[in-house]
Amino acid sequence: MTTPDAAGLRRRTQELLAAHPPATTGRTEFLKARFDAGLAWVHYPAGLGGLDAPRSLQPVVDAELAAAGAPDNDPRRIGIGLGMAAPTVLGYGTDEQKQRFLRPLWVGEEVWCQLFSEPGAGSDLAALGTRAVRDGEDWVVDGQKVWTSSAHLARWAILIARTDPDLPKHRGISYFICDMTDPGVEVRPLRQITGEAEFNEVFLTGVRIPDSRRLGPVGEGWKVAQTTLMNERVSIGGARIPREGGMIGPVARTWRERPELRTHDLHQRLLTLWVEAEVARLTGTRLRQQLVAGQPGPEGSGMKLAFARLNQEISGLEVELLGEEGLLYDDWTMRRPELVDFTGRDAGYRYLRSKGNSIEGGTSEVLLNIVAERVLGLPAEPRNDKDVPWKDLAR
Amino acid sequence: MTAPTEETHAPDLLYSQAEDDLRAAVRSLLADRSDAPTMLAHVESDTPYDPQLWKALAADIGAAGLLVPEKLGGQGASHREAAVVLEELGRSVTPAPYLTSAVVATETLLALTAQEGPADGLLGELAAGRGVAVLAVPFAAARPGAAQPVGVMADTLEGTVTGVADAAAADVLLVPTTDGLYAVEAGAEGVTVEPLVPLDLTRPLATVTLHGAAGTRLADGASAVAAVRRGLLAGAGLLASEQLGLAEWCLTETVRYTRERHQFNRPVGSFQALKHRMAQLWLEVVSARAAARNAADALATGSPDTPLAVAVAQAYCSGVAVHAAEECVQLHGGIGMTWEHPAHLYLKRAKADSVAYGTAGQHRETIAGIVELPAP
């Protein structure tokens, strides 16, 4: 089969729409048909929702479908599945695993979460202590995970666990797909400084995972996890935004609508942040142009750093701009939201929520190390943990 | 009616193959003729320019005529290509009247080509690299008419303009007066170009005094103001690319040095306290590239967004260049404080550039007006 071009994709999309008119087709049914037509993610292989086409042609399909009023798969709801689990399953899964998991993942029938971080393994993720012990055809998993978005909604989890504590920490880890309905899985909400609980703690007690749900070879889980983490940073920092589309938007609108709040100090700071937000937007635009042109640059690693700092500074300014109203908070009620909306709710919420932007998905400090060492080629700090068996590390 | 914040054009922020080729040619020339020891040997003279280098850049490579249409003797290229030349000139802080003549003066004259008057002939000379023209306004001027001290009496010019960049290299001065824009031969009777002692030794400044000097009138009052505004806008927009190149050199050189320099039995670049600063600088340089390319592309395509794109680029890139040069000096330690190491040339250029064609603060005020975020 030859790889389709833009015209070919447009024709296939029109054929899909003709065979399954959105007006008279159920949402899930349409999405399944779209997956089977290879129009879900065109750069994926044929038979797995794609057509081996260039990734840059996906917008062609999306535009045709949007124009026809077709439903989408609500990507924000299944972001971890799409952004992290799917590329890892595609990269390391067996044929059976790809066939079993990718279609319900993309369609949104099965939500995914990520069981990586632990109370004792945050920035130093490779130090994780959740154990997976081989027992016949199964692995038996015990441990605790944390910062798990969507765990209370998820059917499946990508999980990394220690399978050999006698090896140095990066080498004794394996990667699994964990069934979140297993009786040994307990999910507890973890309340955050915003008052709500986007995240969860997940306790794993005697969870049995068949060896057929291991991703990649035993002991190579760290390498497999790199695929997941690279995709996480791209998906957190790479979204397209229009001018004034981010956090700066609400502040700029308040400034225009409420002259009584303006001060000279706030004006100078607002303009400086407005410029930085606009430049960050242009930097993201340039990054996407590089990707489309097939010249991906390392700029992606920087985007998350930039947006974390900007979101924090802008929302902090907004609380000050609002003065007396900035002293109020909309609602401290404990909730478990299905979607994370960084710009939702009031200024106080934005200020508090954005504090997480420099922690989640790699702290800004770790990202600066990554830029310094991998992009600039600066030497690593001397380390004393790389060749020591995991069981002998201090904790 | 478009909202003040809506983007009206889709900018191309990448470099084309032709732009990459041009960059390679300019970089190779500058590596041969504008290395740091050569520059240090010449910067303390009043004319640090290298005429052979200018001929190679302006005429042989054709960089002086990039903005000028082919029918007027230029290359018929655009601000995107001129921006690449300026990135390279910034990377080497070469003393050359490129920004002042091939961009600001040239763009000012391009605004007058509809009149099919004497501006056209002058453009041909500039584009061919046979002459250098400089707009006689202070290098710090963000907009025309801030100060217009030159008067016209009985067809001769009278007045003084301070802080004119590259006046010492100019064959022709473009002088805004109370009676429009005049072209004055720099060597003519009644013209004095008195060198000043500049902070940035790689871009000489001078006081231009006109006393009974004869000139050719290029434009009347209103079109002169519009032409000068257009020249200064292009200058400010492409200065961002010079600042980008300068910042890149500072970062590259600092990374190179801190990888080699050992203290405490380690490369100093392995300390997080230092590497985080360099990573932060990298992020600023990456961002400056997007801002500078956006301004160059807006100027090249004549986008209605150009004034905003230029002001954003200047408001951002000025600070990045200064920060990069300051970090370069600091992270080099003692050697960064010496005259023999070129870091000071970059610091001085960066600081002077942050005042040239308007400070970041002045550009932020412009932005406030365009996007309707007014002062209290």
Side-chain angles (χ1 to χ4, degrees):
Chain A
M1 195 181 79
T2 53
T3 303
D5 56 9
L9 286 174
R10 225 170 260 126
R11 181 178 51 75
R12 283 165 189 266
T13 308
Q14 290 307 324
E15 286 168 6
L16 169 73
L17 288 164
H20 307 272
T24 55
T25 311
R27 180 174 176 278
T28 305
E29 189 191 337
F30 181 85
L31 292 172
K32 285 179 176 170
R34 177 177 166 188
F35 188 93
D36 296 338
L39 298 168
W41 33 31
V42 296
H43 60 294
Y44 269 51
L48 295 172
L51 293 165
D52 299 294
R55 187 174 194 163
S56 54
L57 291 179
Q58 185 67 43
V60 173
V61 174
D62 293 347
E64 295 278 308
L65 290 172
D72 71 10
N73 61 344
D74 197 358
R76 292 205 309 158
R77 191 177 141 265
I78 53 173
I80 293 168
L82 292 173
M84 299 177 222
T88 315
V89 170
L90 181 69
Y92 288 94
T94 61
D95 288 345
E96 292 73 28
Q97 288 169 335
K98 292 178 202 170
Q99 290 294 342
R100 164 63 188 85
F101 292 113
L102 289 175
R103 188 172 185 255
L105 180 159
W106 187 87
V107 169
E109 288 180 308
E110 292 179 346
V111 174
W112 287 66
C113 67
Q114 181 200 41
L115 297 175
F116 277 22
S117 296
E118 298 181 4
S123 291
D124 185 10
L125 181 60
L128 61 90
T130 291
R131 289 294 317 275
V133 177
R134 188 70 186 249
D135 180 22
E137 281 306 296
D138 293 343
W139 295 85
V140 179
V141 180
D142 288 277
Q144 183 189 346
K145 296 287 180 176
V146 74
W147 314 130
T148 314
S149 319
S150 308
H152 54 298
L153 308 168
R155 174 69 176 79
W156 301 104
I158 42 178
L159 164 74
I160 45 177
R162 185 154 308 279
T163 43
D164 190 345
D166 295 324
L167 289 174
K169 62 182 182 182
H170 292 93
R171 287 163 36 202
I173 295 171
S174 301
Y175 198 119
F176 300 95
I177 295 170
C178 175
D179 183 348
M180 292 296 286
T181 65
D182 187 285
V185 176
E186 186 195 352
V187 177
R188 294 183 202 159
L190 184 61
R191 199 174 186 200
Q192 298 152 230
I193 62 175
T194 55
E196 62 183 17
E198 278 169 56
F199 305 137
N200 302 276
E201 322 179 82
V202 178
F203 295 83
L204 306 166
T205 312
V207 177
R208 296 193 79 85
I209 299 180
D211 191 51
S212 61
R213 289 212 300 267
R214 174 166 45 80
L215 270 180
V218 173
E220 300 217 357
W222 184 251
K223 191 176 151 209
V224 180
Q226 294 312 304
T227 305
T228 312
L229 295 172
M230 287 312 291
N231 280 288
E232 176 177 32
R233 280 165 201 150
V234 170
S235 63
I236 287 177
R240 170 161 174 69
I241 47 172
R243 187 178 287 157
E244 284 193 10
M247 286 269 191
I248 198 73
V251 197
R253 278 193 292 280
T254 303
W255 186 271
R256 293 186 187 110
E257 286 162 12
R258 301 184 56 185
E260 75 279 7
L261 298 175
R262 297 171 190 164
T263 70
H264 288 286
D265 166 62
L266 288 167
H267 191 232
Q268 294 307 314
R269 290 160 59 199
L270 173 66
L271 291 174
T272 300
L273 289 169
W274 194 95
V275 168
E276 290 180 7
E278 172 67 358
V279 172
R281 187 184 73 82
L282 291 167
T283 310
T285 303
R286 183 162 199 279
L287 174 65
R288 270 183 303 280
Q289 290 180 355
Q290 285 177 293
L291 289 174
V292 169
Q295 339 160 335
E299 283 82 351
S301 5
M303 293 309 295
K304 180 179 178 292
L305 279 167
F307 281 111
R309 186 185 62 79
L310 272 174
N311 287 347
Q312 292 169 355
E313 291 195 18
I314 292 167
S315 58
L317 179 82
E318 190 179 10
V319 171
E320 281 183 68
L321 171 63
L322 290 169
E324 201 176 317
E325 286 164 56
L327 297 177
L328 305 178
Y329 193 75
D330 57 357
D331 188 0
W332 291 116
T333 307
M334 156 72 184
R335 285 197 190 83
R336 300 176 86 178
E338 278 207 26
L339 291 177
V340 183
D341 185 359
F342 293 158
T343 56
R345 296 179 52 177
D346 285 357
Y349 171 83
R350 282 197 280 278
Y351 173 67
L352 295 173
R353 180 60 186 82
S354 65
K355 291 295 168 211
N357 293 166
S358 54
I359 301 171
E360 58 204 344
T363 65
S364 290
E365 288 73 15
V366 165
L367 290 180
L368 286 170
N369 283 346
I370 290 174
V371 168
E373 292 171 19
R374 298 196 196 157
V375 179
L376 297 178
L378 286 164
E381 292 263 349
R383 293 177 63 164
N384 63 7
D385 62 339
K386 274 195 157 167
D387 302 316
V388 181
W390 175 82
K391 64 179 168 42
D392 298 332
L393 294 173
R395 66 183 133 263
Chain B
M1 176 71 196
T2 320
T5 57
E6 201 170 305
E7 194 173 43
T8 53
H9 85 303
D12 172 5
L13 304 178
L14 305 181
Y15 298 102
S16 69
Q17 185 59 51
E19 288 161 5
D20 285 340
D21 294 345
L22 174 64
R23 177 196 303 286
V26 175
R27 187 177 293 189
S28 156
L29 169 71
L30 295 175
D32 282 351
R33 298 208 56 106
S34 182
D35 58 286
T38 311
M39 262 196 301
L40 280 167
H42 291 101
V43 286
E44 288 182 273
S45 71
D46 287 340
T47 52
Y49 313 103
D50 172 354
Q52 293 306 313
L53 184 151
W54 178 252
K55 183 185 166 295
L57 176 71
D60 301 347
I61 293 179
L66 288 171
L67 300 187
V68 181
E70 288 176 71
K71 66 176 164 57
L72 293 172
Q75 307 292 324
S78 79
H79 304 77
R80 294 177 54 91
E81 290 81 3
V84 169
V85 173
L86 277 162
E87 281 184 34
E88 294 306 311
L89 287 168
R91 196 190 303 275
S92 57
V93 289
T94 303
Y98 191 81
L99 181 65
T100 45
S101 180
V103 177
V104 175
T106 297
E107 184 81 23
T108 304
L109 294 169
L110 283 169
L112 305 172
T113 52
Q115 304 176 1
E116 296 184 1
D120 292 13
L122 191 46
L123 271 172
E125 292 297 299
L126 299 186
R130 285 192 294 268
V132 167
V134 160
L135 184 64
V137 300
F139 195 38
R143 52 183 70 90
Q148 214 166 54
V150 178
V152 181
M153 278 179 282
D155 290 337
T156 63
L157 278 59
E158 293 287 333
T160 300
V161 190
T162 55
V164 181
D166 292 333
D171 304 299
V172 176
L173 298 163
L174 305 182
V175 187
T177 73
T178 49
D179 180 46
L181 186 68
Y182 281 72
V184 179
E185 297 289 331
E189 203 176 327
V191 180
T192 316
V193 175
E194 185 67 31
L196 297 164
V197 180
L199 174 69
D200 171 16
L201 291 160
T202 65
R203 182 138 50 204
L205 301 174
T207 298
V208 173
T209 305
L210 303 154
H211 182 57
T216 309
R217 191 163 181 256
L218 301 175
D220 63 19
S223 47
V225 170
V228 171
R229 177 176 290 119
R230 190 171 141 184
L232 292 176
L233 185 69
L238 296 195
L239 176 61
S241 289
E242 178 183 308
Q243 290 164 325
L244 165 64
L246 185 157
E248 267 202 305
W249 182 90
C250 291
L251 173 61
T252 305
E253 199 54 28
T254 305
V255 167
R256 191 191 62 71
Y257 180 75
T258 57
R259 283 170 64 171
E260 288 171 5
R261 167 80 175 167
H262 279 67
Q263 294 283 275
F264 306 102
N265 197 36
R266 294 162 60 175
V268 294
S270 68
F271 288 96
Q272 285 196 4
L274 272 61
K275 69 166 65 154
H276 280 193
R277 287 165 68 165
M278 287 181 268
Q280 182 58 43
L281 209 49
W282 172 82
L283 181 55
E284 290 177 30
V285 169
V286 163
S287 306
R289 185 183 313 286
R293 282 272 91 188
N294 187 51
D297 189 74
L299 284 160
T301 56
S303 159
D305 266 347
T306 303
L308 180 62
V310 167
V312 166
Q314 269 304 292
Y316 189 77
C317 297
S318 286
V320 172
V322 171
H323 186 211
E326 289 178 347
E327 290 290 73
C328 183
V329 169
Q330 174 65 25
L331 299 186
H332 274 78
I335 191 76
M337 199 60 200
T338 64
W339 191 269
E340 79 175 271
H341 192 282
H344 65 103
L345 298 178
Y346 288 81
L347 178 66
K348 293 161 187 173
R349 171 69 76 89
K351 197 65 186 171
D353 277 358
S354 75
V355 177
Y357 304 130
T359 60
Q362 287 171 301
H363 288 287
R364 283 194 292 270
E365 277 177 33
T366 302
I367 293 166
I370 297 172
V371 303
E372 297 175 12
L373 293 169

